[in-house]
Amino acid sequence: MKKWTAIVLAAVLVFSLTGCKSSDYKKAVSDLNAGNHAAALTAFQALGDYKDSRELAKKCEYALAVADFDKGSFESAKAAFQALGDYEASADYIVKCDYNLALAKFDAGDYEAAAEGFRALADYEDSADYLAKAEKAIFTAKVTGTWVSDGVNLTTFIVSFMSGQDPILDEVIGEYALPDVIMNVRLELKEDGSFSVSAEATGVEEFEAKLTDVMYRYLVVVIENALADQGYTMEDLYAEAGTDDMDEIFTMMLGVSLDEYMQIVDIRGQFEEALESNTESGTFTAENGKVILDDGELTYDEEADQLVKQDRELIPIIGGSTLTYHRQ
């Protein structure tokens, strides 16, 4: 009797459990059909191997992943699709997630991360275009800032320009060490894509003072030679002029004193005008290792962190065709 009682109790228990699972299964399917995927997933996972619960659980997981994707939760959606493996279009959605994540990085200005994402996506959609834009933005950020050129010795250029015009002047200039006037070009590359160029020079005041001495000596030698050609000496000139003060003699001959003459020549003003002519502004483009301005381009040397301008028109001024800019 006891044996039969145990068998009956076991049968009742099995029937009860089966009936319970059947009810839970039906409720889970109802939730699934109603779009309550989270509740349905919990129920199907609890049901284990009952009927097709595992397959329907995957269906719920997929639906939840799609929902995350549709609402822009690309990180969680990607993780869910990766866990689903090759289920349905999970692989395609992973690529879509990667694209949208890269796009979000781009829109947020994180161009390094965006470039990495679009590079991995290769030719998916317009990834190549976005990669080019991101790399351009990275390069633009890299060169943005203030750059100052190597010093350009304008004295060398001026002496070279003056040489050969008058042997006497050449000789006199050779007697004097004209101070160096050093010009530096300042290049400002801004984040908004605009640029400005300006130039400044040092040593102009000292150069002007020494050039006055050169002109004084030059005029004396010219007068001495002119007198000698006529058989006269400086002493004869002093006697004729009634003074041995050369400033007074220059005033008699030129109508102005040497200082006044140098003020008319206005060496400092000419330098300022020359510097002003090197002032410009506009917009620049930075791509493929080049910074392109309105009047030319510079090459970026990443290892040295320098900008290099190659222009044959620089040769008369700096004695070469290369001008290097250093970050300030």
PDB file of all heavy atoms in Angstrom, residues 154-155 179-183 200-211 267-272 275:
ATOM      1  N   LEU A 154      68.088  90.972 -41.838  1.00  0.00           N
ATOM      2  CA  LEU A 154      67.799  91.949 -42.884  1.00  0.00           C
ATOM      3  C   LEU A 154      69.020  92.786 -43.241  1.00  0.00           C
ATOM      4  O   LEU A 154      69.102  93.320 -44.348  1.00  0.00           O
ATOM      5  CB  LEU A 154      66.654  92.862 -42.442  1.00  0.00           C
ATOM      6  CG  LEU A 154      65.295  92.174 -42.230  1.00  0.00           C
ATOM      7  CD1 LEU A 154      64.248  93.199 -41.824  1.00  0.00           C
ATOM      8  CD2 LEU A 154      64.852  91.444 -43.494  1.00  0.00           C
ATOM      9  N   THR A 155      69.963  92.895 -42.314  1.00  0.00           N
ATOM     10  CA  THR A 155      71.182  93.661 -42.603  1.00  0.00           C
ATOM     11  C   THR A 155      71.940  93.035 -43.774  1.00  0.00           C
ATOM     12  O   THR A 155      72.412  93.734 -44.674  1.00  0.00           O
ATOM     13  CB  THR A 155      72.094  93.726 -41.365  1.00  0.00           C
ATOM     14  OG1 THR A 155      71.397  94.384 -40.309  1.00  0.00           O
ATOM     15  CG2 THR A 155      73.379  94.481 -41.674  1.00  0.00           C
ATOM     16  N   PRO A 179      75.105  96.875 -37.505  1.00  0.00           N
ATOM     17  CA  PRO A 179      74.422  95.956 -36.580  1.00  0.00           C
ATOM     18  C   PRO A 179      73.378  95.106 -37.308  1.00  0.00           C
ATOM     19  O   PRO A 179      72.794  95.536 -38.303  1.00  0.00           O
ATOM     20  CB  PRO A 179      73.751  96.901 -35.572  1.00  0.00           C
ATOM     21  CG  PRO A 179      74.462  98.193 -35.708  1.00  0.00           C
ATOM     22  CD  PRO A 179      74.889  98.283 -37.136  1.00  0.00           C
ATOM     23  N   ASP A 180      73.167  93.917 -36.801  1.00  0.00           N
ATOM     24  CA  ASP A 180      72.167  93.035 -37.402  1.00  0.00           C
ATOM     25  C   ASP A 180      70.754  93.496 -37.049  1.00  0.00           C
ATOM     26  O   ASP A 180      70.453  93.786 -35.890  1.00  0.00           O
ATOM     27  CB  ASP A 180      72.344  91.593 -36.906  1.00  0.00           C
ATOM     28  CG  ASP A 180      73.619  90.956 -37.433  1.00  0.00           C
ATOM     29  OD1 ASP A 180      74.103  91.404 -38.496  1.00  0.00           O
ATOM     30  OD2 ASP A 180      74.132  90.022 -36.782  1.00  0.00           O
ATOM     31  N   VAL A 181      69.932  93.571 -38.077  1.00  0.00           N
ATOM     32  CA  VAL A 181      68.497  93.764 -37.867  1.00  0.00           C
ATOM     33  C   VAL A 181      67.853  92.406 -38.103  1.00  0.00           C
ATOM     34  O   VAL A 181      67.886  91.878 -39.216  1.00  0.00           O
ATOM     35  CB  VAL A 181      67.913  94.804 -38.842  1.00  0.00           C
ATOM     36  CG1 VAL A 181      66.399  94.903 -38.667  1.00  0.00           C
ATOM     37  CG2 VAL A 181      68.558  96.164 -38.611  1.00  0.00           C
ATOM     38  N   ILE A 182      67.308  91.829 -37.041  1.00  0.00           N
ATOM     39  CA  ILE A 182      66.753  90.477 -37.125  1.00  0.00           C
ATOM     40  C   ILE A 182      65.225  90.544 -37.169  1.00  0.00           C
ATOM     41  O   ILE A 182      64.588  91.100 -36.278  1.00  0.00           O
ATOM     42  CB  ILE A 182      67.186  89.614 -35.924  1.00  0.00           C
ATOM     43  CG1 ILE A 182      68.720  89.570 -35.837  1.00  0.00           C
ATOM     44  CG2 ILE A 182      66.606  88.213 -36.049  1.00  0.00           C
ATOM     45  CD1 ILE A 182      69.398  88.976 -37.056  1.00  0.00           C
ATOM     46  N   MET A 183      64.680  89.977 -38.219  1.00  0.00           N
ATOM     47  CA  MET A 183      63.220  89.933 -38.376  1.00  0.00           C
ATOM     48  C   MET A 183      62.712  88.526 -38.088  1.00  0.00           C
ATOM     49  O   MET A 183      63.287  87.530 -38.535  1.00  0.00           O
ATOM     50  CB  MET A 183      62.817  90.328 -39.800  1.00  0.00           C
ATOM     51  CG  MET A 183      61.302  90.268 -40.039  1.00  0.00           C
ATOM     52  SD  MET A 183      60.815  90.613 -41.744  1.00  0.00           S
ATOM     53  CE  MET A 183      61.316  89.080 -42.558  1.00  0.00           C
ATOM     54  N   GLU A 200      58.109  91.236 -36.855  1.00  0.00           N
ATOM     55  CA  GLU A 200      58.728  92.214 -35.959  1.00  0.00           C
ATOM     56  C   GLU A 200      60.238  92.123 -36.119  1.00  0.00           C
ATOM     57  O   GLU A 200      60.771  91.090 -36.521  1.00  0.00           O
ATOM     58  CB  GLU A 200      58.322  91.951 -34.517  1.00  0.00           C
ATOM     59  CG  GLU A 200      58.613  90.554 -34.030  1.00  0.00           C
ATOM     60  CD  GLU A 200      58.063  90.277 -32.642  1.00  0.00           C
ATOM     61  OE1 GLU A 200      57.092  90.944 -32.247  1.00  0.00           O
ATOM     62  OE2 GLU A 200      58.608  89.384 -31.970  1.00  0.00           O
ATOM     63  N   ALA A 201      60.893  93.240 -35.840  1.00  0.00           N
ATOM     64  CA  ALA A 201      62.346  93.277 -36.026  1.00  0.00           C
ATOM     65  C   ALA A 201      63.017  93.919 -34.819  1.00  0.00           C
ATOM     66  O   ALA A 201      62.462  94.817 -34.179  1.00  0.00           O
ATOM     67  CB  ALA A 201      62.708  94.052 -37.289  1.00  0.00           C
ATOM     68  N   THR A 202      64.208  93.462 -34.517  1.00  0.00           N
ATOM     69  CA  THR A 202      65.014  94.035 -33.440  1.00  0.00           C
ATOM     70  C   THR A 202      66.304  94.584 -34.041  1.00  0.00           C
ATOM     71  O   THR A 202      66.774  94.104 -35.070  1.00  0.00           O
ATOM     72  CB  THR A 202      65.358  92.970 -32.388  1.00  0.00           C
ATOM     73  OG1 THR A 202      66.051  91.869 -33.024  1.00  0.00           O
ATOM     74  CG2 THR A 202      64.097  92.433 -31.737  1.00  0.00           C
ATOM     75  N   GLY A 203      66.864  95.591 -33.386  1.00  0.00           N
ATOM     76  CA  GLY A 203      68.133  96.160 -33.828  1.00  0.00           C
ATOM     77  C   GLY A 203      68.000  97.306 -34.806  1.00  0.00           C
ATOM     78  O   GLY A 203      69.013  97.795 -35.331  1.00  0.00           O
ATOM     79  N   VAL A 204      66.768  97.767 -35.068  1.00  0.00           N
ATOM     80  CA  VAL A 204      66.554  98.819 -36.064  1.00  0.00           C
ATOM     81  C   VAL A 204      67.174 100.136 -35.614  1.00  0.00           C
ATOM     82  O   VAL A 204      67.833 100.836 -36.403  1.00  0.00           O
ATOM     83  CB  VAL A 204      65.044  99.013 -36.327  1.00  0.00           C
ATOM     84  CG1 VAL A 204      64.817 100.203 -37.271  1.00  0.00           C
ATOM     85  CG2 VAL A 204      64.453  97.749 -36.924  1.00  0.00           C
ATOM     86  N   GLU A 205      66.999 100.495 -34.358  1.00  0.00           N
ATOM     87  CA  GLU A 205      67.530 101.767 -33.847  1.00  0.00           C
ATOM     88  C   GLU A 205      69.050 101.794 -33.933  1.00  0.00           C
ATOM     89  O   GLU A 205      69.644 102.794 -34.367  1.00  0.00           O
ATOM     90  CB  GLU A 205      67.076 101.961 -32.405  1.00  0.00           C
ATOM     91  CG  GLU A 205      67.435 103.330 -31.826  1.00  0.00           C
ATOM     92  CD  GLU A 205      66.847 103.547 -30.447  1.00  0.00           C
ATOM     93  OE1 GLU A 205      65.965 102.773 -30.036  1.00  0.00           O
ATOM     94  OE2 GLU A 205      67.271 104.511 -29.777  1.00  0.00           O
ATOM     95  N   GLU A 206      69.695 100.700 -33.550  1.00  0.00           N
ATOM     96  CA  GLU A 206      71.156 100.625 -33.612  1.00  0.00           C
ATOM     97  C   GLU A 206      71.642 100.673 -35.059  1.00  0.00           C
ATOM     98  O   GLU A 206      72.648 101.321 -35.376  1.00  0.00           O
ATOM     99  CB  GLU A 206      71.653  99.329 -32.950  1.00  0.00           C
ATOM    100  CG  GLU A 206      71.394  99.234 -31.455  1.00  0.00           C
ATOM    101  CD  GLU A 206      69.980  98.779 -31.125  1.00  0.00           C
ATOM    102  OE1 GLU A 206      69.151  98.626 -32.052  1.00  0.00           O
ATOM    103  OE2 GLU A 206      69.692  98.573 -29.918  1.00  0.00           O
ATOM    104  N   PHE A 207      70.907 100.017 -35.954  1.00  0.00           N
ATOM    105  CA  PHE A 207      71.255 100.017 -37.381  1.00  0.00           C
ATOM    106  C   PHE A 207      71.163 101.432 -37.946  1.00  0.00           C
ATOM    107  O   PHE A 207      72.043 101.881 -38.684  1.00  0.00           O
ATOM    108  CB  PHE A 207      70.319  99.083 -38.140  1.00  0.00           C
ATOM    109  CG  PHE A 207      70.575  99.026 -39.613  1.00  0.00           C
ATOM    110  CD1 PHE A 207      71.494  98.126 -40.144  1.00  0.00           C
ATOM    111  CD2 PHE A 207      69.906  99.875 -40.495  1.00  0.00           C
ATOM    112  CE1 PHE A 207      71.746  98.067 -41.504  1.00  0.00           C
ATOM    113  CE2 PHE A 207      70.140  99.826 -41.852  1.00  0.00           C
ATOM    114  CZ  PHE A 207      71.072  98.923 -42.365  1.00  0.00           C
ATOM    115  N   GLU A 208      70.095 102.138 -37.592  1.00  0.00           N
ATOM    116  CA  GLU A 208      69.893 103.496 -38.098  1.00  0.00           C
ATOM    117  C   GLU A 208      71.024 104.416 -37.643  1.00  0.00           C
ATOM    118  O   GLU A 208      71.539 105.232 -38.430  1.00  0.00           O
ATOM    119  CB  GLU A 208      68.540 104.027 -37.610  1.00  0.00           C
ATOM    120  CG  GLU A 208      68.185 105.403 -38.161  1.00  0.00           C
ATOM    121  CD  GLU A 208      66.837 105.874 -37.675  1.00  0.00           C
ATOM    122  OE1 GLU A 208      66.476 105.582 -36.520  1.00  0.00           O
ATOM    123  OE2 GLU A 208      66.132 106.551 -38.448  1.00  0.00           O
ATOM    124  N   ALA A 209      71.430 104.287 -36.375  1.00  0.00           N
ATOM    125  CA  ALA A 209      72.513 105.138 -35.853  1.00  0.00           C
ATOM    126  C   ALA A 209      73.826 104.851 -36.580  1.00  0.00           C
ATOM    127  O   ALA A 209      74.552 105.771 -36.971  1.00  0.00           O
ATOM    128  CB  ALA A 209      72.674 104.906 -34.350  1.00  0.00           C
ATOM    129  N   LYS A 210      74.137 103.565 -36.781  1.00  0.00           N
ATOM    130  CA  LYS A 210      75.385 103.208 -37.453  1.00  0.00           C
ATOM    131  C   LYS A 210      75.348 103.595 -38.930  1.00  0.00           C
ATOM    132  O   LYS A 210      76.366 104.005 -39.497  1.00  0.00           O
ATOM    133  CB  LYS A 210      75.633 101.705 -37.308  1.00  0.00           C
ATOM    134  CG  LYS A 210      76.974 101.237 -37.857  1.00  0.00           C
ATOM    135  CD  LYS A 210      78.152 101.887 -37.145  1.00  0.00           C
ATOM    136  CE  LYS A 210      78.300 101.373 -35.727  1.00  0.00           C
ATOM    137  NZ  LYS A 210      79.538 101.866 -35.062  1.00  0.00           N
ATOM    138  N   LEU A 211      74.176 103.484 -39.556  1.00  0.00           N
ATOM    139  CA  LEU A 211      74.062 103.864 -40.963  1.00  0.00           C
ATOM    140  C   LEU A 211      74.287 105.363 -41.139  1.00  0.00           C
ATOM    141  O   LEU A 211      74.836 105.808 -42.159  1.00  0.00           O
ATOM    142  CB  LEU A 211      72.688 103.470 -41.511  1.00  0.00           C
ATOM    143  CG  LEU A 211      72.501 103.664 -43.021  1.00  0.00           C
ATOM    144  CD1 LEU A 211      73.496 102.805 -43.796  1.00  0.00           C
ATOM    145  CD2 LEU A 211      71.075 103.327 -43.440  1.00  0.00           C
ATOM    146  N   ILE A 267      64.888 105.681 -42.218  1.00  0.00           N
ATOM    147  CA  ILE A 267      65.224 104.256 -42.239  1.00  0.00           C
ATOM    148  C   ILE A 267      64.245 103.451 -41.381  1.00  0.00           C
ATOM    149  O   ILE A 267      63.754 102.392 -41.790  1.00  0.00           O
ATOM    150  CB  ILE A 267      66.659 104.037 -41.734  1.00  0.00           C
ATOM    151  CG1 ILE A 267      67.669 104.706 -42.682  1.00  0.00           C
ATOM    152  CG2 ILE A 267      66.950 102.546 -41.614  1.00  0.00           C
ATOM    153  CD1 ILE A 267      67.659 104.136 -44.075  1.00  0.00           C
ATOM    154  N   ARG A 268      63.935 103.980 -40.206  1.00  0.00           N
ATOM    155  CA  ARG A 268      63.048 103.256 -39.298  1.00  0.00           C
ATOM    156  C   ARG A 268      61.663 103.094 -39.913  1.00  0.00           C
ATOM    157  O   ARG A 268      61.051 102.023 -39.837  1.00  0.00           O
ATOM    158  CB  ARG A 268      62.953 103.984 -37.964  1.00  0.00           C
ATOM    159  CG  ARG A 268      62.287 103.162 -36.868  1.00  0.00           C
ATOM    160  CD  ARG A 268      62.342 103.876 -35.539  1.00  0.00           C
ATOM    161  NE  ARG A 268      63.692 104.290 -35.190  1.00  0.00           N
ATOM    162  CZ  ARG A 268      64.012 104.916 -34.067  1.00  0.00           C
ATOM    163  NH1 ARG A 268      63.063 105.217 -33.187  1.00  0.00           N
ATOM    164  NH2 ARG A 268      65.266 105.269 -33.820  1.00  0.00           N
ATOM    165  N   GLY A 269      61.197 104.178 -40.551  1.00  0.00           N
ATOM    166  CA  GLY A 269      59.891 104.119 -41.201  1.00  0.00           C
ATOM    167  C   GLY A 269      59.864 103.107 -42.337  1.00  0.00           C
ATOM    168  O   GLY A 269      58.864 102.414 -42.551  1.00  0.00           O
ATOM    169  N   GLN A 270      60.990 103.013 -43.067  1.00  0.00           N
ATOM    170  CA  GLN A 270      61.051 102.036 -44.157  1.00  0.00           C
ATOM    171  C   GLN A 270      61.008 100.605 -43.626  1.00  0.00           C
ATOM    172  O   GLN A 270      60.389  99.721 -44.228  1.00  0.00           O
ATOM    173  CB  GLN A 270      62.325 102.265 -44.984  1.00  0.00           C
ATOM    174  CG  GLN A 270      62.299 103.562 -45.789  1.00  0.00           C
ATOM    175  CD  GLN A 270      63.447 103.643 -46.776  1.00  0.00           C
ATOM    176  OE1 GLN A 270      63.723 102.693 -47.501  1.00  0.00           O
ATOM    177  NE2 GLN A 270      64.121 104.788 -46.804  1.00  0.00           N
ATOM    178  N   PHE A 271      61.672 100.392 -42.496  1.00  0.00           N
ATOM    179  CA  PHE A 271      61.613  99.071 -41.874  1.00  0.00           C
ATOM    180  C   PHE A 271      60.181  98.754 -41.445  1.00  0.00           C
ATOM    181  O   PHE A 271      59.684  97.645 -41.656  1.00  0.00           O
ATOM    182  CB  PHE A 271      62.544  99.002 -40.664  1.00  0.00           C
ATOM    183  CG  PHE A 271      63.952  98.601 -41.000  1.00  0.00           C
ATOM    184  CD1 PHE A 271      65.004  99.460 -40.784  1.00  0.00           C
ATOM    185  CD2 PHE A 271      64.214  97.342 -41.521  1.00  0.00           C
ATOM    186  CE1 PHE A 271      66.311  99.088 -41.089  1.00  0.00           C
ATOM    187  CE2 PHE A 271      65.504  96.951 -41.828  1.00  0.00           C
ATOM    188  CZ  PHE A 271      66.553  97.829 -41.612  1.00  0.00           C
ATOM    189  N   GLU A 272      59.527  99.725 -40.812  1.00  0.00           N
ATOM    190  CA  GLU A 272      58.161  99.515 -40.349  1.00  0.00           C
ATOM    191  C   GLU A 272      57.232  99.218 -41.519  1.00  0.00           C
ATOM    192  O   GLU A 272      56.342  98.364 -41.425  1.00  0.00           O
ATOM    193  CB  GLU A 272      57.676 100.746 -39.581  1.00  0.00           C
ATOM    194  CG  GLU A 272      58.378 100.930 -38.235  1.00  0.00           C
ATOM    195  CD  GLU A 272      57.989 102.221 -37.552  1.00  0.00           C
ATOM    196  OE1 GLU A 272      57.250 103.024 -38.180  1.00  0.00           O
ATOM    197  OE2 GLU A 272      58.416 102.446 -36.397  1.00  0.00           O
ATOM    198  N   LEU A 275      57.863  95.692 -42.633  1.00  0.00           N
ATOM    199  CA  LEU A 275      57.253  94.745 -41.707  1.00  0.00           C
ATOM    200  C   LEU A 275      55.740  94.712 -41.894  1.00  0.00           C
ATOM    201  O   LEU A 275      55.120  93.647 -41.839  1.00  0.00           O
ATOM    202  CB  LEU A 275      57.597  95.114 -40.265  1.00  0.00           C
ATOM    203  CG  LEU A 275      59.084  95.013 -39.873  1.00  0.00           C
ATOM    204  CD1 LEU A 275      59.287  95.534 -38.468  1.00  0.00           C
ATOM    205  CD2 LEU A 275      59.575  93.571 -39.978  1.00  0.00           C
TER     206      LEU A 275
END
